[in-house]
Amino acid sequence: VSPIVRAALDPAAEPHALQRWAEDHDWAVRLAVAANPNTPKATLQQLNKHIYRNLNQAALIRNPNTPQEVLA
């Protein structure tokens, strides 16, 4: 597991770092950001629109901060 994925999975990760990592070229990093409960709601909504939407949705469903409209 890459250091960025480990950092993105850390529930204490800073929201601004999670926002930046949501744009990472590595889908594993974006997936970790989607699963992190500290990820801002706007970032979760952005991840839901990404090309790897199906992968991200699995993580978004488990994230308690995911807005309901993303899950609908």
Side-chain angles (χ1 to χ4, degrees), residues 44-62:
L44 295 171
Q45 290 170 321
Q46 170 193 341
L47 285 167
N48 189 50
K49 296 176 184 174
H50 197 273
I51 191 167
Y52 296 106
R53 185 173 184 216
N54 291 340
L55 285 175
N56 288 337
Q57 280 188 328
L60 292 169
I61 287 168
R62 289 186 220 112

Side-chain angles (χ1 to χ4, degrees), residues 2-63:
S2 81
I4 296 174
V5 170
R6 266 191 234 114
L9 286 170
D10 183 351
E14 294 291 328
H16 69 275
L18 292 162
Q19 288 173 317
R20 186 176 70 247
W21 293 328
E23 299 289 332
D24 198 278
H25 69 277
D26 185 347
W27 66 267
V29 173
R30 293 190 305 270
L31 191 59
V33 171
N36 191 312
N38 211 26
T39 300
K41 289 181 181 184
T43 303
L44 295 171
Q45 290 170 321
Q46 170 193 341
L47 285 167
N48 189 50
K49 296 176 184 174
H50 197 273
I51 191 167
Y52 296 106
R53 185 173 184 216
N54 291 340
L55 285 175
N56 288 337
Q57 280 188 328
L60 292 169
I61 287 168
R62 289 186 220 112
N63 189 325

